[in-house]
Amino acid sequence: MADDSDEEQVGEEQVKEEPVPEKPKKIFINHVDTYHGKNIARIFARVKPGSTGDTGGEEEEAAEEENGDQRQKQLYDENPIENGWKVSGTIKNTQGYKRAPFMQEIIQYKDRNQLTEYLKEMNVIIYDITQDPEQVDEAVWACQKLESLINELDHQITFILLSSVMTWAKTPANEDEVPYSEDEFRRRRAHPNFKERHSAEKLITKLGLTNKKKLLTYVVATGLTYGMEENVFHYIFKAAWHNVPEVPVFGKGQNSLPTIHIIDLAAVLQNLADQQFKIRYIVATDTSKDTLIRITRKVSQALGMGRVKTVDEEDAMLNRDITQADYDMLLSNMQFEPMFIREQMNIKWHCENGIPENIEKIVEEYRTQRNLRPIKICVLGPPAAGKTTIAKQLAQEYKLHYLSIKDVIEETKNELEQLVKRSDESEQNEEEIDEEDTDETLADRVDEARSVLERLEEARRDNKDARLDDDLLTQIFKIKLMSPPCQNQGYVLDGYPKTSDQAQNLFGAAGEEEEEGAEDKKPPVNEQIIPEHVVILEASNDFLRQRIMHLPEKVVAGTHNTELEFKRRLKTYNDLGDDSHPAKFFEEVDRPGETMKIDDDVSVNHRNIVKKIMERVKEPRNYGPTAEEQEIAKRNEIAEKEKREREDREERERNEEEAANDRAKKQKDWTTKLEQIKREEFQMLDAQSTPLRNYLMAHVMPTLTKALIECCQVRPDDPIDFVAEYLFKENPQV
């Protein structure tokens, strides 16, 4: 009996130990194809429900710091984890949308009743009304509908309304300009263009008071979001990436902007989805109190040319990248103290201190998400091989900066002179800029600019042939390759470096030496400037000589393609040998060049070679054509179409005219021949009838004429018989 009871006890323990499978947690997010929806949905799909309730501890935080690189890579991962949130949502633009991997289902509905059935199955519903004003009405309806069906719900639903701090924009300032806090949300005053959102906030807060066990509502007033591919601040990043001399700041730029990184905003929403809080109105901002001009200056320094300029506020509306809502937010002036989310929520901050303090991380996210990596190409080869022709075509196709030795020296010299001039002017004007906003590298760059300009002046005085020594030329090229244009868009190097030593000095990493005995170790390189793609053109000496001989005299005059100069350059190139050729360096650093023979290329401007290189480089990594370029391309396409239609019409009319002329000519020829045939036939018949007429006139007509005259005179009853009788009697042979 004891054995039986023991077996039963063991069986009961086994039953208790079997885990009960939990139903997956479902979350609904509206407009998952917009900036907020896409990033929030992706983050939720990659976290476990309830994970914010785990405080972790020092060990977990230390492990996360060690795995910082791994976490950085996961920022862009779109694949959902197995036990993460199951994300469903709607989309704003259905045309051309492809379901992202992190989305379990895209909800498409014919009417709102059908949408209700989807919402009733969700555990959490997030309605973002910051991106699309038309979603305000739908969000309010959805919450009201769920509240009306509250007795039919078999589980708790957390409804989160994602609103904007712009519902605080007209709130009277506190004494001593103390930042706002969530406790003051009842006295908030909305911007005129955000009053509808303000009303939605109040209504959603009330609807959550009916039955909190079934319907729990929160309102999150988010600051201006940034990070990843960028949102409201995108125009600043775009202008800086396009190397505008001065990034515009609308107004004086001294207004404070409450901001929050999109990942930190998602963390706030994740806390609300995982836990229950007594407070129903949350302000989500980071701890920064940065002004618009400081944010703009930091972006310009990290991504662009480093300078900003203030312009009239009205000029903002002339920028196609800025909407009315963006305009209102950029000109707002508010400060918040987000005490609740810092003290009550478990947030692993991504950018707690705002944009300026995390600018390098944010710029990296921007480049990665928008695929704005520079394309760096180097075209090498013997003189007259067509390097310049090919390099310029590649620069045009990919919107890259074309770099030849002459152009680099002139452009860098001008840029350094401008840098020194601006530095001197700023010292004289004593511009007031916060120490935190100063460019830390500016002083070093100015000193380097002065040194290079002095060496250039010395070289100009000492060398009549204007040739620079390798050290100075390398320094100039490094300055150019590290400039924002080359770091943002990329470059095409034309014919430089010319030797392996020049390549080593230019692209080798300074201050790093190879370890002794490490024969297989690659030499260290400067990854920021070394080219991704190296193209080496090859051609026979005879081919190159023939090409130079056939160049027009006006093309050769004043260049290094004269006969003597060409022979010298070709001999120098041929004497390099394999060890001194720059290709040797690129092979050693595991970036071997692709050799392309041009002897047999008969395409115009080496177009076939260019296409082969483009197949290797693949797609451009930029914004594509600008609006002006698109307009020009559209006009050119229309003009080309009209030209083709006009040519086709003219050719058709010409063919029709030729056909008509041909028909008229053939008709005329046919008529002439017909008349000639008729005439010949008449003549032939006339000739054939002459003997017969003569015979009739001689032997028949005299007697017959008399018979007829006689018949007319007598008028017999039977004239035929009369004439026959007369002829018989008058027959001379009878």
Side-chain angles (χ1 to χ4, degrees):
M1 294 292 292
D3 295 338
D4 293 340
S5 61
D6 291 342
E7 290 178 2
E8 290 178 2
Q9 186 175 359
V10 172
E12 290 177 1
E13 291 178 357
Q14 290 177 349
V15 171
K16 290 180 181 178
E17 289 177 359
E18 291 181 1
V20 179
E22 294 184 3
K23 295 177 64 176
K25 294 283 188 178
K26 297 182 178 180
I27 183 170
F28 169 89
I29 302 173
N30 69 317
H31 287 185
V32 293
D33 56 336
T34 60
Y35 172 77
H36 281 170
K38 178 177 66 175
N39 285 289
I40 293 171
R42 178 176 53 81
I43 293 170
F44 264 91
R46 293 194 51 77
V47 296
K48 298 178 182 178
S51 59
T52 58
D54 301 331
T55 56
E58 295 181 1
E59 295 181 0
E60 184 177 339
E61 291 179 4
E64 284 194 2
E65 289 180 3
E66 292 179 1
N67 298 328
D69 294 340
Q70 184 67 21
R71 186 183 177 190
Q72 190 69 19
K73 292 179 181 178
Q74 292 177 354
L75 285 178
Y76 316 110
D77 195 342
E78 295 192 345
N79 297 308
I81 61 174
E82 184 178 355
N83 50 356
W85 286 90
K86 307 304 177 186
V87 185
S88 301
T90 57
I91 54 177
K92 183 177 181 179
N93 300 313
T94 58
Q95 187 175 3
Y97 177 77
K98 184 179 180 181
R99 184 171 67 88
F102 54 79
M103 291 300 302
Q104 184 183 45
E105 183 182 9
I106 298 297
I107 297 175
Q108 296 180 335
Y109 56 93
K110 296 180 180 178
D111 53 54
R112 287 183 171 179
N113 292 328
Q114 188 177 359
L115 177 61
T116 304
E117 298 302 317
Y118 285 106
L119 297 179
K120 287 166 60 178
E121 299 176 1
M122 301 297 159
N123 300 100
V124 178
I125 297 171
I126 298 177
Y127 253 100
D128 174 25
I129 60 174
T130 64
Q131 304 275 285
D132 185 0
E134 295 180 0
Q135 287 293 287
V136 176
D137 178 63
E138 184 176 302
V140 171
W141 167 85
C143 195
Q144 288 177 329
K145 189 68 175 179
L146 292 173
E147 195 267 345
S148 67
L149 301 174
I150 201 166
N151 295 326
E152 300 179 15
L153 302 178
D154 57 359
H155 63 280
Q156 186 186 58
I157 295 179
T158 300
F159 190 99
I160 304 172
L161 182 73
L162 184 58
S163 186
S164 170
V165 292
M166 291 301 293
T167 56
W168 292 69
K170 297 299 180 180
T171 305
N174 294 319
E175 294 182 4
D176 300 327
E177 298 184 355
V178 177
Y180 303 126
S181 65
E182 293 97 339
D183 299 337
E184 304 174 272
F185 77 94
R186 287 185 176 86
R187 74 180 191 91
R188 68 192 187 281
R189 296 291 181 270
H191 186 281
N193 293 336
F194 287 78
K195 287 186 176 180
E196 191 176 358
R197 294 175 175 87
H198 181 268
S199 301
E201 291 178 1
K202 294 194 292 185
L203 183 57
I204 297 299
T205 305
K206 291 179 181 178
L207 291 173
L209 301 175
T210 305
N211 187 344
K212 298 178 183 178
K213 293 183 179 179
K214 293 292 184 71
L215 182 62
L216 191 62
T217 63
Y218 296 100
V219 174
V220 177
T222 177
L224 279 64
T225 47
Y226 61 89
M228 306 310 281
E229 65 267 33
E230 290 306 324
N231 184 29
V232 65
F233 297 111
H234 176 232
Y235 83 96
I236 300 176
F237 284 79
K238 186 177 181 180
W241 188 84
H242 277 112
N243 315 304
V244 297
E246 297 173 318
V247 179
V249 178
F250 303 113
K252 295 181 179 180
Q254 300 301 325
N255 52 312
S256 297
L257 298 178
T259 59
I260 187 169
H261 195 286
I262 185 63
I263 293 178
D264 295 326
L265 175 60
V268 172
L269 299 175
Q270 188 186 350
N271 274 264
L272 295 176
D274 289 343
Q275 307 174 56
Q276 292 189 15
F277 299 94
K278 291 183 179 180
I279 190 170
R280 295 289 177 263
Y281 192 97
I282 297 101
V283 174
T285 66
D286 53 35
T287 60
S288 67
K289 306 293 187 295
D290 297 315
T291 59
L292 175 60
I293 194 168
R294 183 167 188 240
I295 292 172
T296 307
R297 183 177 287 116
K298 282 295 182 181
V299 174
S300 181
Q301 290 172 357
L303 190 62
M305 306 303 289
R307 294 178 61 82
V308 300
K309 67 174 179 179
T310 56
V311 298
D312 294 337
E313 296 178 358
E314 293 75 13
D315 291 348
M317 297 309 297
L318 301 177
N319 192 320
R320 297 182 180 181
D321 295 324
I322 298 178
T323 64
Q324 180 64 50
D326 294 339
Y327 175 81
D328 296 334
M329 288 188 282
L330 289 168
L331 297 181
S332 63
N333 187 17
M334 294 176 283
Q335 290 186 4
F336 289 88
E337 198 64 47
M339 298 301 297
F340 179 79
I341 63 174
R342 294 182 64 192
E343 296 176 357
Q344 302 297 324
M345 289 187 174
N346 180 19
I347 299 177
K348 298 170 184 176
W349 285 93
H350 185 66
C351 293
E352 185 176 7
N353 300 322
I355 296 176
E357 299 299 325
N358 300 276
I359 189 62
E360 293 182 3
K361 181 193 301 184
I362 296 167
V363 166
E364 178 65 20
E365 293 172 3
Y366 164 74
R367 282 175 165 157
T368 301
Q369 286 297 89
R370 290 194 175 268
N371 193 28
L372 297 175
R373 298 295 181 183
I375 295 177
K376 296 170 285 188
I377 305 173
C378 180
V379 182
L380 304 173
K387 299 185 296 297
T388 301
T389 300
I390 293 173
K392 286 185 175 180
Q393 291 183 75
L394 292 172
Q396 184 177 5
E397 291 286 348
Y398 288 100
K399 293 181 177 293
L400 306 178
H401 300 279
Y402 168 76
L403 304 180
S404 65
I405 297 177
K406 181 180 178 181
D407 293 341
V408 167
I409 295 173
E410 292 180 358
E411 292 174 6
T412 305
K413 180 176 179 291
N414 294 334
E415 291 167 4
L416 295 179
E417 289 174 346
Q418 290 295 322
L419 177 62
V420 172
K421 181 180 178 182
R422 287 197 301 267
S423 176
D424 294 340
E425 290 176 353
S426 63
E427 290 178 0
Q428 293 175 2
N429 297 334
E430 296 183 354
E431 293 183 359
E432 295 183 1
I433 300 177
D434 295 340
E435 293 183 2
E436 297 178 351
D437 293 347
T438 57
D439 189 347
E440 297 175 355
T441 64
L442 180 60
D444 294 336
R445 289 192 288 116
V446 171
D447 292 341
E448 183 183 27
R450 296 184 193 277
S451 173
V452 171
L453 290 173
E454 289 176 2
R455 294 180 63 185
L456 281 172
E457 182 62 24
E458 291 176 3
R460 186 185 66 81
R461 290 196 305 263
D462 298 341
N463 298 332
K464 296 181 180 180
D465 56 359
R467 295 186 187 279
L468 303 181
D469 61 80
D470 283 355
D471 290 341
L472 179 56
L473 191 58
T474 298
Q475 188 177 7
I476 291 173
F477 263 93
K478 281 185 177 180
I479 293 172
K480 186 63 177 180
L481 296 181
M482 286 298 295
S483 65
C486 292
Q487 289 295 301
N488 288 341
Q489 289 81 34
Y491 61 80
V492 182
L493 264 176
D494 178 8
Y496 191 85
K498 298 180 179 295
T499 66
S500 58
D501 290 340
Q502 288 179 345
Q504 174 64 46
N505 294 335
L506 179 58
F507 300 120
E512 297 185 21
E513 296 181 359
E514 297 183 58
E515 297 179 5
E516 295 182 4
E519 297 180 358
D520 297 334
K521 187 177 179 181
K522 296 184 294 184
V525 297
N526 188 340
E527 294 290 347
Q528 288 185 284
I529 63 175
I530 191 169
E532 300 174 87
H533 309 280
V534 180
V535 180
I536 302 173
L537 305 179
E538 279 192 357
S540 64
N541 292 341
D542 291 338
F543 176 84
L544 298 174
R545 291 191 189 96
Q546 290 295 322
R547 167 172 283 185
I548 288 295
M549 288 175 60
H550 288 85
L551 287 177
E553 184 65 27
K554 61 181 180 180
V555 175
V556 175
T559 68
H560 48 212
N561 287 326
T562 59
E563 183 177 357
L564 293 177
E565 185 67 12
F566 170 72
K567 288 181 178 180
R568 183 193 65 79
R569 293 168 58 222
L570 183 59
K571 183 178 184 303
T572 302
Y573 184 85
N574 291 333
D575 291 345
L576 282 176
D578 294 338
D579 293 336
S580 299
H581 196 282
K584 176 71 173 178
F585 167 79
F586 292 112
E587 289 177 3
E588 291 176 351
V589 297
D590 199 20
R591 294 176 189 249
E594 183 172 353
T595 302
M596 295 188 177
K597 294 185 176 295
I598 64 171
D599 302 66
D600 301 328
D601 182 30
V602 296
S603 60
V604 178
N605 292 331
H606 295 302
R607 193 61 193 170
N608 291 339
I609 299 291
V610 174
K611 289 180 178 178
K612 288 181 181 179
I613 299 173
M614 291 177 64
E615 289 175 1
R616 179 182 178 183
V617 177
K618 298 180 180 177
E619 294 297 321
R621 299 197 291 260
N622 52 38
Y623 274 98
T626 62
E628 292 77 8
E629 290 172 338
Q630 290 177 347
E631 186 66 26
I632 293 173
K634 186 177 180 180
R635 288 200 299 266
N636 291 339
E637 184 179 354
I638 293 175
E640 186 66 25
K641 183 179 179 181
E642 292 177 349
K643 181 181 177 182
R644 288 196 304 269
E645 292 177 350
R646 184 173 63 254
E647 290 176 349
D648 292 343
R649 184 172 61 255
E650 291 175 354
E651 184 178 1
R652 187 169 56 254
E653 292 175 353
R654 188 166 55 252
N655 292 338
E656 290 176 355
E657 184 179 359
E658 290 177 356
N661 294 336
D662 188 53
R663 285 195 302 271
K665 182 179 179 182
K666 290 180 178 179
Q667 181 71 25
K668 183 177 179 181
D669 293 343
W670 183 81
T671 303
T672 303
K673 290 181 179 180
L674 181 61
E675 292 176 353
Q676 183 178 359
I677 291 172
K678 288 182 177 179
R679 188 165 53 253
E680 291 176 352
E681 183 181 12
F682 177 78
Q683 293 174 354
M684 182 185 66
L685 293 176
D686 184 62
Q688 292 176 351
S689 63
T690 300
L692 182 59
R693 287 201 303 273
N694 294 336
Y695 173 78
L696 292 174
M697 292 299 293
H699 301 287
V700 177
M701 293 307 295
T703 305
L704 181 59
T705 302
K706 292 179 180 180
L708 293 175
I709 294 172
E710 187 69 21
C711 181
C712 291
Q713 292 176 352
V714 176
R715 297 183 181 180
D717 295 335
D718 188 357
I720 299 301
D721 184 64
F722 178 81
V723 171
E725 187 67 28
Y726 182 85
L727 291 175
F728 181 75
K729 285 195 296 182
E730 295 296 329
N731 186 359
Q733 296 181 358
V734 178

